[in-house]
Amino acid sequence: MARDAKKRATQSTTPSPAKPAETRLPRDAVRRINIGQSFAEYDGALDDETVYVHTPALAAAQDPQSGKVFFVGRRGTGKTAIRRYCGESSGNVRIITPEISSPSSTIAQEAGQYNTRRKPFQSLVSAFRRVLQVELLLMYLESHPARTEVPRSVLDEVDELGALDFDSRALLAIRRVTEPLLRDDEERWLQENKAAKLIADQMKTMGSAQAVHTLLIDSIDDYWEGTDEGLIYLTAFMHACQEISAQIPWARTILFLRENIFERVRAGDPESSRLETAIVAMEWNERQLLELVERRLNRTLTAKLPLSGATWNAYFEDPKEAWADVMEYCQRRPRDVLIYLSHAAESAQAAGNSRILLEDVRNARRRFSDNRLRDLGDEYAENYPRLDEVIRRFYNLGRVFTLSGIEAFTRKLLGDGELTRVCGPWIFEMAAPEKFVRLLYNIGFAGLRSQAGAARFRTLGPQDTSPPPVSDSTDIAIHPCYWDALDLQDILVSVLDEDLEFGRVGLVRNLPGGVSAAEYVDHLDLITEALKELPRGVTGAGDFEEIVGDVIRLCFFRSLDNIEPKNRTHDGKVVRDWVASNRARTGFWELIRTRYGATQVVWECKNYDELSADDFHQTSYYMSDAGGRFVIVAFRGEVRPGYHAHAGRIHSDSKGLVLMLTEKDLLTFLRQARNGKVKEDHIQERYDYQVRKIS
């Protein structure tokens, strides 16, 4: 497993030129490097159109005639970047983030047994078609206010359902088409089931020569619970998206979907072949990744350097070896490359180097490895809750395992009581060595190699769904990007001592209060049940405040600290339910501190469904220059359109923001924390939604 850099350099297919370009950088070019944020939702660099790389996926998103509906890829492959580019550079585009992918138990029972040929599933498809069509009609009417050539039946459909938000409209449409099934009312079911098709036929006659109206659908995994019922809903939703895009000339839907979720749909849908031709894989080759980096390096230069290797060569002292190192450690994902090179640039800046040295690139390995390890468990948290607890048990073992070594490893996993408690039934389902190897391969943690060949790691696209055959002659090689974080030894593991204890110091546990993973999960389960059962009103107000305090402590402890209840101002006139210090250096909370001066985050708790004008007026007292102008209101109901007017007035008067979080949001935070998901995408989406409504 020894890595010979020079040998790799001669064999590499890197697009970087063999000889460094003679282009000279400005004296302070390295000091001014700003690669940008690796998470697209926070990345200000994406406001600059020159940083985008025109990949086949981006081209397909921009081409209404491409027939592509589903953009599938692992986290960090550019889905959100494409959504931003299309949403900001194109007209007649709307972004929606449905919450319906996590159905309530009542609706799930109405959906019935999963079968694409059964009435319950057909009903779901028609219901989703109907709500998507109404959203597209609302867009069409905005661009055609005169409403000429719009059939009366279409206007009636918009008047009936258009006033509701997307999720409320979906619930109503599902209820209307499934209730006749429960009553065996065949005539009414046929009428409701055909409603979407009848409206679609009318929509075909409208605007055939007009610009295409596009719905961009993202963040499905925010409310994804990984249940069978949620999978049924998502599958029906995907079929509805494809039917609309194929049948209505001026309408198009684009669904951005994580690969691990799509694979579950593919495995369970007997009609998945219908979806295959509409899929775009979010794949990147080395040339595209190099262009991505060079465009960002060029951002701070007045005189731009050429692409195709010249910019890279100008910035790096040993460009060919540096590129080979980056490609070895990163799994050809743009986010990984940006994170790695950001660390390398920071190393060069700290040392005052005029160029980025090979030493700087290699100094970035440990930071990148730690980051990648945390992100892996987070990415697959919905499929395999607390996967990070399994991965960290590889600490200080070997970089390569035989199949018998993996079998010994899985036996020890199943004998670990804490692990089996937090990982639930999935760890037992993966107990067979072959299944466990396939899991490691599918998540990109390990590759497979024959004893005479190189390790093969999974590619990024959804096409690569099966690993190479696993046999007694197969070795399982841990990907190099995890070696440093796990302190893996350069050895082949074929057997494990029965008395060997799993290493427990390779990863920072990052759990509040020093509790174990099992205690942490138990506490989250108790809070979740308490919130669901808590009565609304004055009697439960104190308990609701305690629950919100637990959510802050257990779900946001990486960024919010020094949490204090019933905090009073010096004169005692203002009492805030919770105040937390904002210590974040990156991500959503860092954005909030920078934009609103929120060194302190105030949480106000309302144990009732509907907010009043007084509730918003109260939050304005909490905003100040000293603590910041950002307040969170947690309540039990749904966000109503009138609330945005109150929040907008506060923003106009004080330049502050009131972020409204519902009970559903609190449950999402608890579920994601239980599963080990640390990404802040859900609260970021709530924030983005709020800002769009008041801006």
Side-chain angles (χ1 to χ4, degrees):
M1 293 303 294
R3 290 167 291 145
D4 187 333
K6 292 185 179 180
K7 182 178 178 181
R8 283 190 288 100
T10 60
Q11 296 176 343
S12 175
T13 58
T14 172
S16 182
K19 293 183 179 180
E22 297 180 359
T23 307
R24 296 182 64 86
L25 289 175
R27 180 172 300 178
D28 61 345
V30 170
R31 181 175 59 81
R32 291 190 287 118
I33 287 176
N34 181 4
I35 298 291
Q37 263 280 353
S38 55
F39 287 87
E41 41 276 62
Y42 314 131
D43 191 3
L46 293 178
D47 295 332
D48 180 359
E49 289 190 6
T50 65
V51 305
Y52 286 88
V53 177
H54 287 267
T55 62
L58 181 57
Q62 290 183 287
D63 181 8
Q65 306 305 318
S66 69
K68 302 302 183 182
V69 179
F70 311 111
F71 287 67
V72 180
R74 290 184 62 186
R75 178 187 288 181
T77 50
K79 297 185 296 297
T80 301
I82 290 179
R83 186 198 78 181
R84 285 187 59 172
Y85 186 87
C86 294
E88 296 173 6
S89 64
S90 308
N92 299 321
V93 173
R94 177 174 295 180
I95 299 171
I96 60 173
T97 56
E99 301 176 10
I100 196 62
S101 58
S102 179
S104 68
S105 58
T106 301
I107 301 174
Q109 291 169 4
E110 292 173 1
Q113 183 180 358
Y114 176 46
N115 186 323
T116 55
R117 300 184 185 278
R118 287 172 58 88
K119 287 182 179 179
F121 188 81
Q122 295 173 13
S123 301
L124 279 176
V125 174
S126 65
F128 283 130
R129 278 190 59 174
R130 195 169 185 179
V131 297
L132 287 165
Q133 288 171 180
V134 170
E135 198 73 30
L136 287 160
L137 286 168
L138 290 170
M139 295 171 61
Y140 183 91
L141 294 176
E142 286 180 5
S143 59
H144 299 77
R147 299 192 173 195
T148 56
E149 301 180 1
V150 179
R152 181 70 254 174
S153 59
V154 170
L155 294 176
D156 290 342
E157 179 82 349
V158 173
D159 291 341
E160 182 179 6
L161 298 174
L164 300 172
D165 64 35
F166 185 88
D167 295 295
S168 299
R169 188 187 314 143
L171 291 174
L172 176 60
I174 291 169
R175 187 162 56 248
R176 287 174 56 167
V177 79
T178 52
E179 282 180 350
L181 285 177
L182 300 178
R183 299 196 304 266
D184 293 325
D185 188 343
E186 185 77 12
E187 182 178 354
R188 177 66 185 279
W189 178 81
L190 286 171
Q191 179 183 356
E192 291 292 343
N193 195 54
K194 289 181 178 180
K197 184 179 184 302
L198 294 174
I199 295 298
D201 290 339
Q202 295 292 325
M203 292 172 69
K204 293 175 186 178
T205 67
M206 301 162 43
S208 58
Q210 304 294 331
V212 172
H213 293 65
T214 304
L215 282 178
L216 303 177
I217 307 163
D218 200 4
S219 302
I220 288 290
D221 58 306
D222 272 10
Y223 289 96
W224 176 260
E225 294 183 352
T227 62
D228 291 339
E229 292 82 4
L231 186 63
I232 293 170
Y233 269 46
L234 178 57
T235 305
F237 189 81
M238 292 177 68
H239 281 273
C241 287
Q242 186 178 32
E243 290 178 11
I244 287 173
S245 297
Q247 296 173 11
I248 302 175
W250 55 268
R252 186 186 186 196
T253 60
I254 291 179
L255 175 62
F256 298 98
L257 196 61
R258 285 244 303 274
E259 181 185 299
N260 57 307
I261 296 177
F262 172 73
E263 289 303 331
R264 288 197 60 189
V265 173
R266 173 186 267 166
D269 181 7
E271 300 289 334
S272 63
S273 58
R274 294 176 180 268
L275 310 178
E276 295 294 334
T277 58
I279 296 170
V280 176
M282 302 295 297
E283 295 178 315
W284 291 69
N285 58 37
E286 287 195 30
R287 180 193 60 77
Q288 293 161 348
L289 291 170
L290 180 65
E291 181 183 344
L292 170 76
V293 174
E294 290 187 311
R295 287 182 176 277
R296 288 174 178 255
L297 290 173
N298 260 318
R299 284 181 62 222
T300 58
L301 299 181
T302 303
K304 308 300 183 185
L305 301 179
L307 303 178
S308 300
T311 302
W312 177 270
N313 289 342
Y315 272 95
F316 286 81
E317 187 72 33
D318 297 288
K320 201 169 186 66
E321 289 192 27
W323 183 254
D325 268 21
V326 172
M327 286 296 97
E328 179 186 20
Y329 262 68
C330 300
Q331 297 178 324
R332 294 199 178 187
R333 293 198 295 182
R335 178 178 297 169
D336 288 357
V337 173
L338 294 180
I339 291 174
Y340 195 111
L341 292 176
S342 293
H343 295 335
E346 290 171 9
S347 175
Q349 291 164 345
N353 298 335
S354 59
R355 298 177 76 188
I356 302 175
L357 307 181
L358 190 59
E359 178 184 1
D360 297 316
V361 175
R362 292 177 177 172
N363 285 342
R365 287 179 179 174
R366 181 65 189 228
R367 286 183 63 191
F368 173 76
S369 186
D370 289 340
N371 180 289
R372 189 68 203 92
L373 190 62
R374 287 193 298 269
D375 194 54
L376 179 65
D378 189 41
E379 180 177 0
Y380 289 94
E382 304 297 350
N383 295 66
Y384 309 106
R386 306 309 308 190
L387 174 66
D388 58 313
E389 290 292 321
V390 172
I391 297 302
R392 77 178 186 85
R393 281 163 169 77
F394 279 93
Y395 175 72
N396 204 225
L397 298 178
R399 297 175 182 175
V400 184
F401 286 72
T402 64
L403 188 61
S404 61
I406 287 293
E407 185 176 10
F409 183 82
T410 56
R411 283 201 305 268
K412 290 190 68 64
L413 289 180
L414 298 181
D416 188 323
E418 179 182 336
L419 183 79
T420 55
R421 165 68 184 86
V422 301
C423 292
W426 74 262
I427 191 64
F428 293 101
E429 294 173 4
M430 296 295 171
E434 293 79 6
K435 285 189 175 182
F436 190 68
V437 168
R438 280 175 167 75
L439 167 64
L440 299 181
Y441 178 86
N442 287 334
I443 67 176
F445 179 73
L448 304 181
R449 73 177 191 190
S450 64
Q451 294 178 351
R456 171 184 163 184
F457 296 95
R458 183 175 181 181
T459 61
L460 294 178
Q463 289 86 357
D464 186 14
T465 56
S466 300
V470 179
S471 67
D472 291 339
S473 62
T474 303
D475 288 340
I476 296 88
I478 310 302
H479 194 282
C481 72
Y482 303 108
W483 291 357
D484 291 306
L486 290 169
D487 290 331
L488 297 182
Q489 303 178 57
D490 191 6
I491 59 174
L492 174 68
V493 178
S494 58
V495 65
L496 290 177
D497 191 329
E498 292 294 334
D499 296 328
L500 176 70
E501 292 187 5
F502 283 124
R504 297 181 179 271
V505 294
L507 283 175
V508 177
R509 297 295 299 280
N510 280 337
L511 295 180
V515 299
S516 69
E519 292 170 329
Y520 180 67
V521 167
D522 287 342
H523 199 170
L524 290 168
D525 288 343
L526 288 173
I527 298 166
T528 300
E529 291 305 312
L531 178 57
K532 291 178 178 179
E533 297 173 1
L534 183 68
R536 289 158 168 75
V538 177
T539 56
D543 291 334
F544 184 63
E545 288 181 14
E546 290 299 320
I547 288 173
V548 172
D550 285 334
V551 170
I552 302 170
R553 281 189 289 264
L554 297 176
C555 302
F556 299 106
F557 59 87
R558 296 171 182 85
S559 302
L560 303 184
D561 197 4
N562 193 22
I563 304 166
E564 183 181 354
K566 295 298 182 184
N567 179 273
R568 295 177 178 269
T569 55
H570 71 282
D571 55 9
K573 294 181 179 179
V574 177
V575 181
R576 297 158 290 199
D577 289 341
W578 294 98
V579 178
S581 299
N582 186 357
R583 307 284 174 81
R585 297 182 179 179
T586 59
F588 169 78
W589 294 105
E590 190 273 336
L591 178 149
I592 294 302
R593 189 180 69 246
T594 302
R595 185 164 297 177
Y596 302 102
T599 58
Q600 308 297 315
V601 178
V602 178
W603 294 66
E604 185 66 15
C605 309
K606 304 297 181 186
N607 190 39
Y608 39 78
D609 288 334
E610 297 185 11
L611 300 177
S612 67
D614 289 340
D615 293 326
F616 288 93
H617 187 64
Q618 181 184 10
T619 63
S620 63
Y621 290 114
Y622 301 154
M623 298 181 181
S624 67
D625 292 334
R629 301 184 178 278
F630 180 78
V631 177
I632 294 176
V633 176
F635 68 111
R636 305 294 298 276
E638 299 292 334
V639 176
R640 300 178 181 273
Y643 298 167
H644 301 302
H646 296 299
R649 281 191 288 272
I650 293 174
H651 179 69
S652 299
D653 294 341
S654 64
K655 303 302 180 187
L657 185 84
V658 178
L659 180 62
M660 292 167 275
L661 297 179
T662 67
E663 177 178 332
K664 186 184 293 185
D665 295 319
L666 298 178
L667 290 171
T668 297
F669 298 141
L670 290 166
R671 173 176 54 81
Q672 291 181 341
R674 189 195 190 284
N675 291 340
K677 187 170 184 177
V678 299
K679 192 167 176 279
E680 298 166 339
D681 50 357
H682 182 72
I683 196 168
Q684 176 75 41
E685 289 290 347
R686 297 294 89 194
Y687 168 80
D688 290 343
Y689 175 79
Q690 180 74 45
V691 169
R692 291 176 189 140
K693 289 298 183 181
I694 67 175
S695 61

